Amino acid sequence: MQLSWQQQIVDCQQHLLINNQQWQLQHMQFYLSDFSLNQQPLSLATTSWQQPQLALLGTDCQGNSNWQLQFMQPISAGTLRFTLGLPFSINHQNPLTATAPLNNSAMFWSWQLGYKFLRLDLQGPDYGWAFHLGSTGCQSASVLRPPAMPCQHANAVEVVLDYQPGQQLQLNLERLLSDIPLLSDNSCMSDAQQQSCQMLFSNTAAPGVWQFSAAL
């Protein structure tokens, strides 16, 4: 797995030129789940970053990084599907007692809202900017209680790609942020009414944001 910007691998020390300003990655992590190949479920190896049906990828820029997906068996060519996000059945649990990698409090909002499916934090010359993707419209007695019914806006994204053995999965940060002005007042916390969020929701599923390519 790779995070790219202008066809180059991105790391936390790198400066990104966005709208003629220099920005730096502060946090980029995301949950992927429900993998299948040619409509047959795939299982992941169990590690500190994975459970059989989900994985946490990315970096918190504090020394905790994982960019490797480990499947139980080698996968062949075909149509690969996965979800950016987590199923409702596991999205609203206590991260203090959850099994890794669901015990990451930096990727959790509350029992009511659940996990941050994707957390992107950037620092510019004058202010920070963030995109945190997760479910909204979740109804429960309080933020400390999980909802009994699925949230109004699940905000999970299904990704479908053609895979050939030896290719690397890549998330294109430049395309994810395409046409998004990074302003001091338009960070996105998954508010469906906010224009920047609407654009980012669209971008997460846009062609070219998720892609397979040879190793950079």
Side-chain angles (χ1 to χ4, degrees):
M1 176 79 207
Q2 299 169 330
L3 180 68
S4 70
W5 176 268
Q6 296 180 344
Q7 300 183 339
Q8 299 294 320
I9 297 175
V10 176
D11 61 37
C12 298
Q13 288 71 46
Q14 199 169 338
H15 286 93
L16 311 175
L17 187 63
I18 307 175
N19 301 330
N20 296 317
Q21 290 186 317
Q22 285 195 336
W23 292 80
Q24 195 167 4
L25 192 68
Q26 300 289 300
H27 198 126
M28 179 52 157
Q29 289 184 296
F30 47 93
Y31 285 105
L32 301 183
S33 65
D34 295 334
F35 290 85
S36 68
L37 182 71
N38 298 327
Q39 300 184 339
Q40 297 300 311
L42 291 173
S43 291
L44 299 171
T46 299
T47 71
S48 58
W49 297 99
Q50 297 185 171
Q51 295 181 19
Q53 302 303 320
L54 63 92
L56 176 62
L57 293 154
T59 178
D60 64 1
C61 293
Q62 302 293 321
N64 299 301
S65 300
N66 174 52
W67 294 102
Q68 186 173 8
L69 276 172
Q70 299 182 51
F71 292 95
M72 287 293 293
Q73 303 290 336
I75 59 176
S76 58
T79 301
L80 183 72
R81 294 174 182 264
F82 58 86
T83 298
L84 170 62
L86 297 171
F88 173 76
S89 59
I90 61 174
N91 189 35
H92 303 272
Q93 56 183 300
N94 183 354
L96 298 178
T97 59
T99 304
L102 295 173
N103 58 350
N104 188 329
S105 59
M107 294 294 292
F108 193 76
W109 268 329
S110 66
W111 281 3
Q112 185 182 61
L113 294 176
Y115 289 86
K116 302 174 185 181
F117 300 157
L118 180 149
R119 175 177 175 176
L120 170 61
D121 296 341
L122 295 169
Q123 181 60 49
D126 301 314
Y127 53 84
W129 184 91
F131 171 36
H132 295 182
L133 177 68
S135 298
T136 59
C138 309
Q139 302 297 319
S140 64
S142 76
V143 295
L144 299 178
R145 299 293 178 90
M149 300 291 291
C151 303
Q152 184 177 358
H153 303 289
N155 291 334
V157 179
E158 185 181 50
V159 179
V160 182
L161 298 170
D162 291 326
Y163 170 73
Q164 295 291 330
Q167 291 181 324
Q168 290 256 15
L169 179 61
Q170 191 175 105
L171 172 55
N172 188 321
L173 184 58
E174 184 181 16
R175 294 193 182 186
L176 177 64
L177 298 178
S178 178
D179 299 321
I180 308 293
L182 306 187
L183 305 176
S184 60
D185 60 353
N186 77 336
S187 289
C188 171
M189 298 293 121
S190 294
D191 180 356
Q193 304 303 313
Q194 187 175 330
Q195 184 178 11
S196 62
C197 288
Q198 294 170 6
M199 296 172 67
L200 286 161
F201 292 164
S202 178
N203 284 359
T204 56
V209 171
W210 302 90
Q211 59 191 6
F212 280 115
S213 67
L216 293 176

